[in-house]
Amino acid sequence: ISNIISVKEVKSVALYSWLFTALMTVQWISAIPIIESYSDLSPDRIVLFNRIEQLVSPLTLITQLTLTYLVISYLGTSMILIVYGLLFIVVFLLYGLMPSVGVVVFSQALLRVFEYGFNKPSREIIYSQLKKKDRYKSTVFIDTFVTRFGDLTGSLFVGLGKIAAISITVIPLLAIPFAGIFSLTGYKISKIFEEKFKNP
């Protein structure tokens, strides 16, 4: 906890993880009404979820085996961290302006493949650059408490929107500025670690 407050590198990684899980929760809750409109029958929705898993799992595996190293080597971790927020902006625009089951399937595949194929490995590379004490203590705290707090934050964001009688299709659009902050945080992380290596 003290590292998150006082160590700039750890604080930036914690903020990034918090924003990521909050945004992922917002997009998932925003997708639920779209899926519910697909069919009133629970078995139909279960089949749809199954098809999404059947699409995402092999795509993720293929990406990890063939593209992860090449893309991270070519773009660098900083670009991966920045691009993630831009992908959330695209997804939120689609949810808000063109909500459909096809959009949900596309968005789930895009975000989850990018997360497991590129962003999570990039975060692990960032973690590996922290001091040993920070890496083994702070990252465990971030990956448990901070990410769960992100889930709660995303749920509260959607919940407050519902209390304010904001349409569920508008809520993703309201989350777009936070996706922009997410990209900006990724950019700042890259700059912080660049400075660290220049002035160890």
Side-chain angles (χ1 to χ4, degrees):
I1 295 173
S2 63
N3 281 350
I4 288 176
I5 296 170
S6 60
V7 180
K8 184 166 59 173
E9 293 90 351
V10 177
K11 186 191 301 182
S12 63
V13 171
L15 178 60
Y16 189 86
S17 297
W18 172 63
L19 285 168
F20 150 64
T21 49
L23 291 169
M24 191 63 85
T25 301
V26 170
Q27 76 82 25
W28 178 241
I29 296 175
S30 299
I32 291 173
I34 301 173
I35 293 171
E36 288 176 344
S37 68
Y38 165 72
S39 175
D40 295 330
L41 300 175
S42 180
D44 290 343
R45 295 198 293 269
I46 291 172
V47 169
L48 177 61
F49 283 123
N50 186 47
R51 287 178 179 167
I52 291 173
E53 289 301 320
Q54 287 176 338
L55 174 66
V56 169
S57 296
L59 278 178
T60 301
L61 179 60
I62 292 168
T63 299
Q64 289 173 330
L65 292 175
T66 61
L67 295 175
T68 297
Y69 175 77
L70 293 174
V71 171
I72 292 178
S73 298
Y74 180 72
L75 293 180
T77 55
S78 55
M79 185 58 67
I80 298 292
L81 298 179
I82 293 167
V83 165
Y84 207 5
L86 302 179
L87 295 183
F88 272 108
I89 290 173
V90 170
V91 168
F92 289 149
L93 284 171
L94 290 173
Y95 279 2
L97 302 178
M98 301 188 321
S100 69
V101 171
V103 163
V104 171
V105 173
F106 168 78
S107 299
Q108 288 296 311
L110 176 68
L111 291 177
R112 288 172 61 187
V113 170
F114 190 86
E115 164 61 16
Y116 294 114
F118 306 115
N119 194 260
K120 186 171 175 55
S122 295
R123 290 202 309 273
E124 293 301 327
I125 291 170
I126 293 294
Y127 283 155
S128 70
Q129 297 171 28
L130 296 172
K131 293 179 181 177
K132 186 176 181 180
K133 183 181 72 171
D134 296 335
R135 184 165 66 245
Y136 290 110
K137 291 185 177 180
S138 302
T139 56
V140 172
F141 183 77
I142 290 169
D143 287 341
T144 53
F145 178 80
V146 173
T147 55
R148 295 292 72 80
F149 183 63
D151 290 333
L152 176 63
T153 305
S155 299
L156 289 174
F157 180 81
V158 177
L160 289 173
K162 290 180 178 178
I163 291 171
I166 297 173
S167 169
I168 191 64
T169 56
V170 175
I171 289 174
L173 300 177
L174 295 178
I176 287 176
F178 297 99
I181 293 171
F182 182 50
S183 276
L184 181 61
T185 303
Y187 173 75
K188 287 183 176 179
I189 288 174
S190 65
K191 290 300 178 184
I192 287 170
F193 280 92
E194 281 178 16
E195 290 174 7
K196 182 181 177 182
F197 284 116
K198 287 178 183 176
N199 306 294

